């Protein structure tokens, strides 16, 4: 689905077509939910943020200006802002751990190793400053390019590069010390 298709669906929703809203939701929800989950480390809270982001989209649908911004970029930015608000509210306590869903085939040992690695990554992400975490998640976990990340975070692409590089260095330092513990020493 192209950017124009998404804008057409949003315009159709604004004109009263509920099917268009359903189609746009099916298309964009997985990426928005995954982004919120990575930033928050909590699936239930990510569901709430995803719903809230879409509610904001539905509210602004009648006023959407075609070609001004990509709907996906706008949703990522709104989602990131909602996540940051939630993270700031809960600073007094530790962030919940995110667990990857179990795969069909791996052994119990592999599942435990994968869970330990996912927990270690989420803990390391949680230790990063908010902006670095957001840039790293958008780039390396959500697979977005620097120009799109810059639009989401409202910074320059050069600032995205800097945040991402600092975040990666910090993650490497935090996780490097746990290489053997997480089973990477055996893998080479």
């Amino acid at each position: 689905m192209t950017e124009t298709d998404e804008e057409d669906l949003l315009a159709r929703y604004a004109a009263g077509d509920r099917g268009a809203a359903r189609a746009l939701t099916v298309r964009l929800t997985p990426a928005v939910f995954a982004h919120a989950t990575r930033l928050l480390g909590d699936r239930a809270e990510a569901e709430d943020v995803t719903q809230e982001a879409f509610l904001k989209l539905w509210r602004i649908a009648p006023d959407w200006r075609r070609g001004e911004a990509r709907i996906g970029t706008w949703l990522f930015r709104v989602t990131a802002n909602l996540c940051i608000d939630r993270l700031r509210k809960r600073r007094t306590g530790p962030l919940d751990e995110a667990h990857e869903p179990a795969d069909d085939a791996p052994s119990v040992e592999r599942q435990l190793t994968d869970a330990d690695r996912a927990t270690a990554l989420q803990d390391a992400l949680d230790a990063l400053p908010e902006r670095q975490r957001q840039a790293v998640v958008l780039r390396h976990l959500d697979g977005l390019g620097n120009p799109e990340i810059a639009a989401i975070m409202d910074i320059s692409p050069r600032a995205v590069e800097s945040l991402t590089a600092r975040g990666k260095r910090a993650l490497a330092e935090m996780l490097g010390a746990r290489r053997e513990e997480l089973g990477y020493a055996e893998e080479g």
Side-chain angles (χ1 to χ4, degrees), residues 118-129 133 170-171 174-175 178:
T119 299
L121 176 60
Q122 188 63 51
D123 289 345
L125 285 169
D126 292 345
L128 291 177
R133 176 178 43 231
L171 288 173
M174 286 183 263
L175 295 172
R178 299 183 64 191

Side-chain angles (χ1 to χ4, degrees), residues 32 35-36 39-40 48-60 64 70-86 134 138 151-154:
V32 171
H35 181 59
L39 288 177
L40 294 169
D48 291 343
V49 164
T50 300
Q51 288 177 358
E52 196 173 338
F54 274 95
L55 285 173
K56 287 181 180 281
L57 178 64
W58 305 139
R59 280 189 215 115
I60 63 104
W64 186 265
R70 290 188 62 222
I71 293 171
T73 301
W74 184 90
L75 270 172
F76 269 109
R77 187 172 189 172
V78 167
T79 300
N81 288 340
L82 291 169
C83 289
I84 288 168
D85 290 346
R86 284 176 181 252
Q134 184 180 6
L138 286 167
I152 290 167
M153 295 181 69
D154 196 26

